Amino acid sequence: MTTILVVEDEPEIRRFLRSTLGAEGYRVVEAPNARRGSVDAGTHKPDLAIVDLALPDYDGRELIRDIRKWSSMPIVVLSARHQERTKIEALDAGADDYITKPFGVGELLARVRAALRHAARSPAGQALVLGSAKVDLEKRRAWRDGAEVHLTPIEFRLLAFLAKHLGMVVTHRQLLAEVWGPPYVEQTHYLRIYMKQLRDKLEADALRPRHFLTESGVGYRLVADEEP
Amino acid sequence: MTTILVVEDEPEIRRFLRSTLGAEGYRVVEAPNARRGSVDAGTHKPDLAIVDLALPDYDGRELIRDIRKWSSMPIVVLSARHQERTKIEALDAGADDYITKPFGVGELLARVRAALRHAARSPAGQALVLGSAKVDLEKRRAWRDGAEVHLTPIEFRLLAFLAKHLGMVVTHRQLLAEVWGPPYVEQTHYLRIYMKQLRDKLEADALRPRHFLTESGVGYRLVADEEP
DNA sequence: AATGCGCGTAAAGACGCCGTAAAGAAATGG
DNA sequence: CCATTTCTTTACGGCGTCTTTACGCGCATT
C-alpha cells in the first residue's frame, strides 16, 4: 500500500488532502508541523511526502533538507502564491515538484502520480517517447519521425538531466549547475538558447512545446506522453 | 436532517428565523449570545450557522474565528446597514456570506441554500459553466462560445479563487492576499483591472455581468448558473 | 448643489522573463 | 589542420505584470 505523508498545518487543507488521497487508495499520515513531519518521515517510511512551505515551527525548506540527508523519497511542495522565492529554494533543496494553492483535485493527483511514477521508474532510462520523437538515453541517440537527429554533447546532457527528472520541475540553477557547472548557475540565457535547440530538434511544433515546458520564473519540466 | 444554528439575541428575529427555516424543513438550534453559540456549534454540529454580528456578550467576529479554528461549516452573517466595516471583518474572519437587515424570506433562503450547496460540493471543481463560457479548472483552460480563450496566470488564479468560493462573497483583502500576496491587500485597483479582463473574456455582456458580481464596498462573488 | 467614495474604464510607460536570431571568438576533437 | 561545438555577447520582440494617471458615473453625505 502506498503511504503518503502530509505535512500541513491548516486543518482545512489537511482534511482536503486526507479525503482526496484516501479516496484514491493511498494511506495518509498527517503531521501538523515540521518537527512531527521529520519524525513521521522516519518512522512511517512514506512513499511520498507532501510538504507545506509555511509551517508553524520551522521552515519547510529545512524539513526537506532534513529528509534529503537520508532519503530520496519524492517530495511535493505546497506553496502559496506569493512564495515564489521560497518555492524555488525548496526545489533547489531537493523537492521534486510543487503545487500552488489553491489547487484542484486533478492537479494534485496528477502531480502525486507523476512523482510516484518517477520514483518507481527503473534507473535505466530506456527509451523516451516524446510525441513523434524518440530518445534512447543509453545509446545517446535520438530520432524524430523516423529520421535520426544529431544531438550535441550539451544538448544531450541537458536532455538527460531533464529526463532523469521526468515530469518534475527542474530549476534554472539545477540545470546550469549540472550541465555547465556551478560557476554558471546565473547564465540563464544559455538555457534559453539550448532549450530552443532541443525544441527545434525534438518538438513537432517548437512554437507550442508539448514536452519541453517552461515553468516561468522557475525552470523547466520535461513531460513524456499523456501528462498535464 | 439539516441543522442550522442561529446565534441572535433579538427574540423577534430569532422567532422569524425559526419559523421561516423550520417551515423549509431545517432543524433550528437557537443561541441568544456568542458564548452559547460557541458551545452549541460544538455540541450540535450544525450544517450551517447564521450569526448576528451585534451580540450582547462578545463580538460575532470572535465567534466566527472561534468556530473556524475547528470547523469549516458555512457561516452566514447577519448585519445591520451601518455595520459595513464589521461585516467585512467578519468575512475576513471566515464567514462565507452575509445578509443585511432587514431582509426578506426569499433572500434568506437563497443565501442558506447557496451556502449549503457550496459546502456540499465535491472538492472536484471540474468544469465551471458561466453562461456561454466554460472553464476547466484542472486543465487551466477556458472557452467562450466554443472558442478557446487564453487566460494569463493572474487571471486564472483570480478565477480559481473565486471558483473555490463559488456563490460566496470574497472580500478584496482575501483576493489580493491570495492572488497577489499579503503585501498587496490594499491595491484594490488591481482587482478592478483584472476583474474587467475576466469579464471581457468570459461574460457575454461585460457591461452587465451575470457571473462576476460586484459586492460594493466588500468584494466580489462568482455565480455559476441558476443562482440569485 | 457640492463633495467624496467606490467602481469601471482606458491608457501608457517601465520592467522582467522568455524566445529568437545572429555572429565572432575560443575550444575541442578527429 | 579543419570541422564542429561551445562560449559569450548583442539585439530585438512579445507577453504579462506593475504602477500610475485620468476620466466618467452613480450614490450617499453634507
Side-chain angles (χ1 to χ4, degrees):
Chain A
M1 178 164 223
T2 307
T3 301
I4 297 180
L5 170 65
V6 169
V7 190
E8 165 68 59
D9 60 319
E10 296 176 57
E12 232 189 288
I13 299 183
R14 222 162 56 214
R15 209 166 53 87
F16 170 73
L17 291 170
R18 187 198 318 143
S19 64
T20 306
L21 296 170
E24 287 293 306
Y26 298 115
R27 191 164 75 92
V28 178
V29 177
E30 300 176 38
N33 55 52
R35 189 190 326 269
R36 285 287 302 275
S38 183
V39 172
D40 290 348
T43 55
H44 288 86
K45 305 271 180 195
D47 300 285
L48 178 147
I50 297 177
V51 176
D52 194 310
L53 284 183
L55 292 170
D57 49 351
Y58 64 95
D59 197 287
R61 289 166 291 179
E62 282 303 315
L63 175 56
I64 291 169
R65 268 186 281 272
D66 257 26
I67 295 177
R68 275 289 170 269
K69 281 176 192 160
W70 58 271
S71 165
S72 62
M73 71 175 75
I75 301 178
V76 176
V77 152
L78 290 186
S79 78
R81 191 25 67 191
H82 52 281
Q83 298 177 307
E84 198 70 10
R85 199 190 168 75
T86 317
K87 178 176 77 184
I88 296 173
E89 287 174 17
L91 290 168
D92 283 335
D96 296 284
D97 205 348
Y98 65 86
I99 308 178
T100 304
K101 295 186 281 190
F103 51 86
V105 180
E107 192 181 354
L108 169 70
L109 294 176
R111 292 272 191 271
V112 166
R113 276 193 296 262
L116 288 171
R117 199 181 321 135
H118 174 240
R121 216 173 60 248
S122 65
Q126 317 227 3
L128 185 64
V129 178
L130 310 169
S132 61
K134 201 179 63 180
V135 180
D136 186 325
L137 292 169
E138 315 226 332
K139 296 194 171 62
R140 315 196 121 229
R141 298 173 73 180
W143 297 263
R144 185 173 131 194
D145 301 322
E148 180 152 11
V149 173
H150 174 68
L151 296 183
T152 71
I154 285 217
E155 284 163 8
F156 192 84
R157 269 185 292 163
L158 187 53
L159 174 59
F161 193 71
L162 286 167
K164 193 171 152 194
H165 301 262
L166 193 62
M168 309 287 96
V169 180
V170 189
T171 64
H172 296 139
R173 291 184 78 85
Q174 290 174 328
L175 282 169
L176 287 161
E178 185 70 23
V179 177
W180 280 267
Y184 291 76
V185 291
E186 314 249 288
Q187 305 297 321
T188 50
H189 190 51
Y190 292 5
L191 276 179
R192 287 197 274 277
I193 293 172
Y194 283 88
M195 284 302 298
K196 169 163 174 59
Q197 323 228 105
L198 282 177
R199 281 170 174 159
D200 281 346
K201 290 183 178 178
L202 298 175
E203 287 275 10
D205 181 358
L207 297 178
R208 271 180 208 70
R210 282 174 29 203
H211 303 100
F212 295 84
L213 306 185
T214 302
E215 297 283 328
S216 195
V218 180
Y220 293 90
R221 179 200 300 271
L222 178 63
V223 172
D225 273 313
E226 313 300 277
E227 300 206 38
Chain B
M1 178 164 223
T2 307
T3 302
I4 297 180
L5 170 65
V6 170
V7 190
E8 167 67 61
D9 59 319
E10 297 175 55
E12 242 189 274
I13 301 184
R14 221 160 59 212
R15 210 163 53 84
F16 171 72
L17 290 170
R18 187 198 318 144
S19 65
T20 306
L21 296 171
E24 286 293 306
Y26 298 115
R27 190 164 75 91
V28 178
V29 176
E30 300 176 37
N33 55 51
R35 188 189 326 270
R36 284 288 302 276
S38 183
V39 172
D40 290 347
T43 56
H44 288 86
K45 305 267 181 195
D47 299 285
L48 179 147
I50 297 176
V51 176
D52 195 311
L53 285 183
L55 292 169
D57 49 349
Y58 64 96
D59 197 286
R61 290 166 291 179
E62 281 304 317
L63 175 56
I64 291 168
R65 267 186 281 272
D66 257 25
I67 294 177
R68 274 289 169 269
K69 282 177 190 160
W70 57 271
S71 166
S72 63
M73 71 175 74
I75 301 177
V76 176
V77 151
L78 291 185
S79 77
R81 218 162 257 308
H82 57 280
Q83 296 178 306
E84 198 69 9
R85 198 191 167 74
T86 317
K87 178 176 76 184
I88 296 173
E89 287 174 17
L91 290 169
D92 282 335
D96 297 283
D97 206 347
Y98 64 86
I99 309 178
T100 306
K101 294 187 282 192
F103 51 86
V105 179
E107 190 182 356
L108 170 69
L109 294 177
R111 292 274 191 269
V112 166
R113 276 193 297 263
L116 288 171
R117 199 179 322 134
H118 174 240
R121 213 174 65 248
S122 69
Q126 305 279 3
L128 185 65
V129 178
L130 310 169
S132 62
K134 200 180 64 180
V135 180
D136 186 326
L137 293 169
E138 316 226 333
K139 295 197 170 60
R140 317 196 122 230
R141 298 173 72 179
W143 297 263
R144 185 174 130 193
D145 301 322
E148 180 153 9
V149 173
H150 175 68
L151 297 183
T152 70
I154 285 214
E155 285 163 7
F156 190 85
R157 282 180 336 236
L158 188 53
L159 174 60
F161 193 71
L162 287 168
K164 193 172 155 194
H165 301 263
L166 194 62
M168 308 288 95
V169 180
V170 188
T171 65
H172 296 139
R173 290 185 79 84
Q174 290 174 329
L175 282 169
L176 287 161
E178 188 67 26
V179 177
W180 279 267
Y184 291 76
V185 291
E186 315 250 288
Q187 305 296 323
T188 50
H189 190 51
Y190 292 4
L191 275 180
R192 287 197 274 277
I193 294 172
Y194 282 88
M195 284 302 298
K196 167 161 177 60
Q197 322 223 108
L198 281 178
R199 282 169 172 160
D200 282 346
K201 289 183 178 179
L202 297 176
E203 288 276 9
D205 181 358
L207 297 178
R208 272 176 211 72
R210 282 173 30 202
H211 304 98
F212 295 85
L213 306 185
T214 301
E215 296 285 328
S216 196
V218 180
Y220 293 89
R221 180 200 300 268
L222 178 64
V223 172
D225 273 314
E226 314 300 278
E227 300 207 37

